[in-house]
């Protein structure tokens, strides 16, 4: 407590340098965090553990949905897909093809729709790589972002209307822009 009070007086001094000000603030915040951790340490630890345990079966459930969705589409209609989502046999509440945009497109539209959707992303990446007004580092950055976005779609379902609109108009803007 005395250290904190001393630091507050140091901070209120008019002739303090910027470096000393940052050090004093850092020490003050660290002391505050230590006091909170000591006073509520077990509660904070219990809360953190409960948050981490809530999602423990999430990955296994997603993997089962991916496997079941892909297996079902290739068994029943590999070219055109199955359209509207059925409910998973295991979970009874998770629609097949959910939690992955790529698996969802394969499930709903089959190989044909999946390849068309994939080709749009490939065209965007090619277009980004050819834009002449951008420097090489900027091109690499945009291409990397597009590839990372494609990877993100493997684990997240971009099924909402708003996200579909954002994706569509972003892709159109890139494809019709001059360059």
């Amino acid at each position: 407590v005395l250290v904190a009070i001393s630091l507050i007086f140091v901070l209120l001094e008019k002739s303090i340098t910027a470096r000393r000000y940052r050090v004093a603030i850092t020490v003050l915040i660290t002391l505050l965090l230590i006091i909170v951790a000591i006073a509520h340490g077990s509660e904070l630890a219990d809360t953190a553990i409960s948050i981490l345990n809530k999602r423990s079966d999430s990955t296994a459930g997603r993997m089962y949905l991916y496997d079941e969705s892909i297996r079902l589409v290739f068994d029943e209609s590999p070219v055109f897909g199955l359209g509207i989502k059925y409910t998973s046999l295991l979970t009874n509440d998770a629609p097949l093809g959910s939690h992955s945009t790529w698996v969802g497109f394969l499930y709903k539209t089959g190989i044909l729709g999946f390849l068309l959707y994939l080709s749009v992303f490939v065209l965007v990446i090619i277009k980004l790589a050819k834009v002449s007004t951008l420097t090489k580092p900027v091109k690499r950055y945009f291409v990397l972002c597009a590839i990372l976005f494609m990877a993100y779609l493997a684990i997240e379902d971009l099924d909402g209307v708003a996200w579909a609109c954002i994706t569509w108009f972003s892709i159109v803007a890139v494809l019709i822009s001059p360059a």
Side-chain angles (χ1 to χ4, degrees), residues 44-69:
L44 293 173
D46 291 343
T47 303
I49 289 169
S50 77
I51 289 171
L52 292 173
N53 285 336
K54 286 188 189 284
R55 305 278 301 167
S56 63
D57 293 332
S58 178
T59 302
R62 285 178 182 231
M63 290 300 143
Y64 180 81
L65 280 172
Y66 299 162
D67 181 58
E68 186 178 1
S69 301

Side-chain angles (χ1 to χ4, degrees), residues 26 37 58 69 81 86 91 112 116 124 146 155 158:
T26 303
S58 178
S69 301
Y86 293 108
T91 62
L112 184 64
L116 285 171
V124 168
I155 58 170
L158 208 115

